Every structure is written in structure tokens, then in C-alpha cells.
Amino acid sequence: MLELKPPLVLLSGPAGFGEYLKLMDHRYVGGVLLKTVTLHPKEGNPTPRMADSDFYVINRIGLENPGIHAFVENVPELPVPMIASLGGDSFEEYLEVARVFKKVADRFHAVEFNFSCPNVKEGGLSIVKNAEEWKKLLNTLRKELPDSFLIAKVGVEGIFVEDAAEFVMKTGWDGITLVNTVRGLHFEKDTMILGGLSGPVLKPIALRAVYEVKKRFPELFVIASGGVYSVKDAEEFLKVGADVIGVGSALFKDPGVVEEIGKYLLEVKR
Amino acid sequence: MERLLLTKKKTIRVNEDTWIVLFEERIDFSPGQFVMLETPKLVRKPFVLGYWEDHTAISVQVKGKGTKWIVEEAEKIKGHGPLGNGFEKPGKGLLIISPTCLTMAEALRKKMNVDVLVGSRTPFQIPLEHETAVGDEEFLRKLSSTGEYDWYLVSGSRGMEKVCWEHLRGKEVYFSLEEYMGCGIGACKSCAVFTKEGVKHVCTDGPIFRGDELCWS
């Protein structure tokens, strides 16, 4: 089982490779879900890559990352538990990334596979929409990393989260992260930004997803991701059964909120 | 880098849409560095650090709700910084800036031998001891007639950057770049700059870059 104290993680993407830890008391951070790493290095998308409004943040970073080979040669050393996040553009890439990652797997408390990045051409969305292919991939990755705590990150596009959770359970995976950003479109003056929507507007969608999945599969470990900006948000995700609370884009507004939520979680989960 | 809580001391209007905001607190920073400040919007915004009337200060161009809040309503402002790399050059330099960089100019003048040319689209509402140009025509005229300097540092709009790069071709020119930032500390990768050496980031590799390092197309 993945035991994090407090059950709070900084989420993949906004948390980068742990840079935010410089701004917070580590006692209140249960772990960091590192930025998604792919087989080949990615430069990411042209700018503008992000915009915000009163209710949401939209980003199209495009998974900029150094690639799995550079990553395993230079694994970050952080003062809190680390969860790796791995991605790919095809079945073969996911498998190859897992094979390379094996060398350093014992340095991570868990590994999340990102099956839902909306900001790259393939990025997992095309894999989950083909259910048979995805189940085959889940089985293959489970065999490739038999000792790792495996978490699948899925969004609400391309598949029903209840079905995704069932596949994850049946293929022997340990957990699921619900949800990723949702594809959206934002105008910044005359520039269109087509990217992943996060922030407070995502919370009702993520709450529903966690609620439905935990109702059907209470034993499945769930990291809740989507619109956690306050202690009240964390409280609501606990009510629907989340095992771990993820904080993502709220880091951009106020990294101090992590300590507030962390203190609360330490108190209620003592 | 620290978490900051800044107390606004006063604001001074520079032109139609730009204000200088003075803070009570002192921040130990190098010229060129910036802070990320919290506004009612969901993402903190970057402001280059500087001085005015011997106080730590930033210049703010009011573009929307967040910047309006800083100028008109905020009393205490949360943030983090200082961030990015400082800039220091020997020799005699010329700063070519928009009014949003007036406070940075004061920080640079404390440490370096520089002249300043401020280009504004609208008339100034306070007297300035620098060379000023109002409107594109006057700006271009003054830019063309500047003397020879060892180096140049440009900080303004994209348009101003491009015009300066054309006019100062072959000279040692630096640009203090602005790009949307989510974090300011190298985590989110939103402030990408495409350079001849690959992708860099305004927040951790900049904000100041050499002109010949950048991809201008």
C-alpha cells in the first residue's frame, strides 16, 4: 500500500520536478508526483502555453521533458516521497519507457502512467479510446514492473472513468488518479489557446469521478486531482472516498495552501 | 527565494495606464530579478524588481482585473521571490525601456553606468530625468540618433524588442523578456523561449537573454 503522510501530493505538471518544495514546510507534503517523462525528449509547444481567468487555468505545455534516458541518469533527490509519471505516444513507447524506468524504480514510492495528456498529438488519449488495446497495455506494463505500486492517470475523455477503473482493477494495477485536465479553448485577446483546463471549474467533474469509482471499487486506491484550492475542497474529496488529495494549479495561486491542507489532513488522518 | 508579504506604501501614476507601486519592505535582489505576486486571478504574475524614491518598487501596467487590483485596492500582497538571474555589465550601456521598467532602470543605475531612453505610447504624467519619447515616430527618431554604447538592454513590448533588434543589428544587445508564467521557479515550463541552443525558460535562464541567442522568426 502507498502510505503518504499527510495523504497529499503535489500533482504532475504544476509541481515540475519538486521545485515548489523550496517554498513550503515539508512536514505538510506527503509526496511529489513528478512531471511526466516520455521516451524521447520533448521541446513542448510554442508560446503562449498558459492563460488564466477567474475560474480556470488552461495550459498547452506539450509535455516538455528531458526524456526517460536523461531522467534515469539524473533522478531528482527530494526530501519527500516521489512518484514518477511516465507517458508515451504509442503502445511501444509506453513499454519502452517502463523498461528504461526499471533501473531506478526502487527510488520511487509509486509510478503513475499518464494515459490522458490532452496537449500532445497522441499522449494516451488515443490509447484509452481503444479499450482492448489499453487493457493489453495495462497487462503488459504490470508484468514489466511487477514490484511497483502502479497508478493509472485517466481523464474523463475517451472513456468512462468507471470502465477505466474496472480495467485498472482487473489488470492488477494498484491505483488510479482521477482526473486529468479536460480539453478546452480560451481566447487571450485574439490568440486561441487550445489546451487542458484545470482549476476550480474542474472540481465538480473530479468529485463525481472519484465518487462513482470509489462507490463501485472501494478497494481501488484513488488520488484525487482536480480543483483543490482549499481545505474545504480537500474535505469534500475525502467525503467521496479519495485516498490522497492532489494539489495542482492551486500552487500557481498560493503555494501556502499546501501547508493548510497538509495540516488538516494530518489532523483528520492521524 | 522566499515567500513574501509586501505592504503597499503608495502608487505614482506614470502615464495613461502605468503606475509605480512602492513597498514598505526591503528585498535583497540583483537588478533584473523579479517577483511573482498574487492577485485575485488564479495565477501569480511576474513583476521586475526595482527602486523608486529609495523604496523597493515595481512598475505595473494595468491590463486587467489583477493589475487593477494591485494599483487600486491591494494593501498587503502575497508573493515569492526574488527570482531569475541578475544582470551586471562593465562599460557604458543604454537601457531602452517602456514605462513598466522604470523601477528596474533605477536598480540598474545604482550598479552600472547607464543612460536610459523611455518610450511611451501616451504622455508622461510625472517629470523624468531620463530621455523620453512619446509615440512610435519620436521613439524611432531617438533610437536612430543614439550614440555608441558598449551594450544595450531592451525591456518593453514585443514590438519595441523587434524594432530595437533591427536598429541595433551587429551590436551587443540584451533583452529582458516577458512571457506568461505559471510558477516563476522552473516547474511549470510555461515561459518557454526558443533559443539557438534549444528551449530555455524566462524564469530560470532569464529573464535577460542576448539578442543573438534568440530565434527571432
Side-chain angles (χ1 to χ4, degrees):
Chain A
M1 187 46 70
L2 178 62
E3 298 220 3
L4 302 175
K5 282 193 176 174
L8 176 152
V9 291
L10 310 186
L11 287 168
S12 184
F17 290 107
E19 291 84 351
Y20 268 107
L21 292 171
K22 293 177 217 156
L23 287 169
M24 50 190 65
D25 187 330
H26 304 158
R27 286 175 300 168
Y28 305 117
V29 183
V32 177
L33 235 159
L34 304 182
K35 196 166 172 56
T36 297
V37 180
T38 51
L39 180 59
H40 303 294
K42 280 188 193 288
E43 279 209 326
N45 290 324
T47 56
R49 289 180 169 187
M50 199 185 280
D52 67 325
S53 74
D54 289 355
F55 310 107
Y56 61 82
V57 178
I58 192 160
N59 88 83
R60 52 185 302 277
I61 306 295
L63 286 187
E64 183 191 323
N65 78 90
I68 190 69
H69 292 282
F71 177 76
V72 298
E73 291 305 317
N74 193 23
V75 172
E77 295 201 8
L78 301 182
V80 300
M82 295 189 292
I83 303 174
S85 171
L86 305 179
D89 287 344
S90 64
F91 188 104
E92 294 72 26
E93 278 198 17
Y94 275 100
L95 182 55
E96 186 57 25
V97 108
R99 283 183 178 145
V100 181
F101 175 74
K102 262 168 112 162
K103 293 181 211 166
V104 295
D106 60 351
R107 295 173 66 180
F108 294 86
H109 279 58
V111 52
E112 177 187 270
F113 280 85
N114 182 353
F115 292 116
S116 47
C117 179
N119 294 326
V120 289
K121 194 161 158 267
E122 303 296 335
L125 278 180
S126 63
I127 293 202
V128 293
K129 78 183 179 200
N130 182 339
E132 288 313 309
E133 179 87 343
W134 190 48
K135 274 192 271 187
K136 199 173 123 195
L137 179 59
L138 290 172
N139 269 315
T140 309
L141 292 172
R142 177 73 280 180
K143 283 178 195 141
E144 197 61 37
L145 291 164
D147 302 322
S148 292
F149 191 92
L150 287 189
I151 301 163
K153 182 168 191 172
V154 298
V156 291
E157 295 183 276
I159 195 168
F160 288 111
V161 287
E162 299 88 332
D163 293 341
E166 189 173 354
F167 299 160
V168 166
M169 287 279 293
K170 285 184 173 167
T171 47
W173 284 48
D174 305 283
I176 191 165
T177 300
L178 299 166
V179 295
N180 205 329
T181 54
V182 173
R183 283 176 296 172
L185 195 156
H186 170 93
F187 274 100
E188 192 67 27
K189 292 185 182 162
D190 292 331
T191 306
M192 273 201 304
I193 302 180
L194 236 148
L197 198 72
S198 56
V201 290
L202 197 58
K203 193 180 84 172
I205 296 168
L207 270 174
R208 198 280 315 177
V210 174
Y211 172 72
E212 297 289 356
V213 166
K214 279 305 256 193
K215 197 167 64 171
R216 281 180 64 177
F217 309 106
E219 63 278 41
L220 187 63
F221 190 89
V222 172
I223 299 178
S225 158
V228 174
Y229 274 64
S230 66
V231 168
K232 181 176 171 288
D233 297 331
E235 193 181 354
E236 289 179 5
F237 275 103
L238 288 185
K239 278 184 186 164
V240 294
D243 296 286
V244 168
I245 305 298
V247 180
S249 58
L251 290 168
F252 300 149
K253 181 165 178 62
D254 181 8
V257 77
V258 170
E259 291 174 358
E260 291 170 25
I261 298 171
K263 275 180 201 166
Y264 162 75
L265 291 172
L266 281 177
E267 193 59 36
V268 298
K269 288 285 184 182
R270 203 163 38 183
Chain B
M1 175 185 46
E2 288 176 36
R3 272 157 69 178
L4 307 166
L5 185 60
L6 297 173
T7 313
K8 207 165 83 182
K9 183 177 169 64
K10 70 169 179 175
T11 56
I12 298 163
R13 190 170 194 172
V14 176
N15 68 1
E16 188 184 10
D17 60 2
T18 306
W19 275 258
I20 290 168
V21 178
L22 283 67
F23 297 113
E24 298 280 5
E25 294 80 7
R26 289 246 157 229
I27 298 177
D28 187 16
F29 69 93
S30 302
Q33 288 191 295
F34 65 95
V35 283
M36 294 288 285
L37 297 183
E38 186 172 331
T39 74
K41 304 279 278 183
L42 289 181
V43 176
R44 289 181 174 191
K45 302 283 178 264
F47 295 92
V48 69
L49 281 162
Y51 298 108
W52 203 260
E53 294 176 1
D54 207 29
H55 277 78
T56 303
I58 58 171
S59 310
V60 179
Q61 184 182 20
V62 174
K63 289 180 176 174
K65 194 175 170 178
T67 42
K68 193 167 187 282
W69 176 84
I70 288 181
V71 169
E72 292 181 4
E73 294 171 49
E75 291 174 8
K76 297 265 187 188
I77 306 176
K78 282 204 269 188
H80 62 278
L83 304 162
N85 302 299
F87 179 81
E88 206 154 336
K89 287 292 294 175
K92 174 86 174 167
L94 175 65
L95 302 183
I96 305 165
I97 58 171
S98 64
T100 48
C101 298
L102 272 170
T103 53
M104 178 181 84
E106 293 312 296
L108 283 153
R109 285 213 308 173
K110 275 180 188 273
K111 291 208 165 180
M112 280 162 269
N113 183 11
V114 287
D115 289 338
V116 182
L117 167 61
V118 195
S120 172
R121 290 201 180 279
T122 56
F124 291 96
Q125 303 205 0
I126 53 168
L128 294 172
E129 51 183 290
H130 309 301
E131 188 73 43
T132 59
V134 176
D136 291 348
E137 205 176 304
E138 191 182 6
F139 179 73
L140 283 172
R141 188 158 34 84
K142 290 201 171 170
L143 183 62
S144 304
S145 60
T146 58
E148 281 295 314
Y149 290 88
D150 298 314
W151 52 269
Y152 302 79
L153 172 58
V154 181
S155 189
S157 64
R158 277 291 147 81
M160 188 192 263
E161 286 167 2
K162 280 186 180 163
V163 163
C164 291
W165 181 237
E166 288 298 318
H167 270 71
L168 300 170
R169 198 171 281 272
K171 296 182 176 168
E172 189 176 333
V173 191
Y174 297 84
F175 293 88
S176 181
L177 299 185
E178 206 180 298
E179 194 54 70
Y180 188 97
M181 280 183 199
C183 68
I185 56 176
C188 75
K189 311 296 181 200
S190 63
C191 60
V193 183
F194 292 86
T195 75
K196 290 171 184 164
E197 293 172 6
V199 175
K200 293 192 176 183
H201 301 94
V202 174
C203 68
T204 48
D205 300 306
I208 296 171
F209 293 84
R210 265 184 81 110
D212 54 9
E213 194 187 342
L214 303 170
C215 300
W216 285 91
S217 55

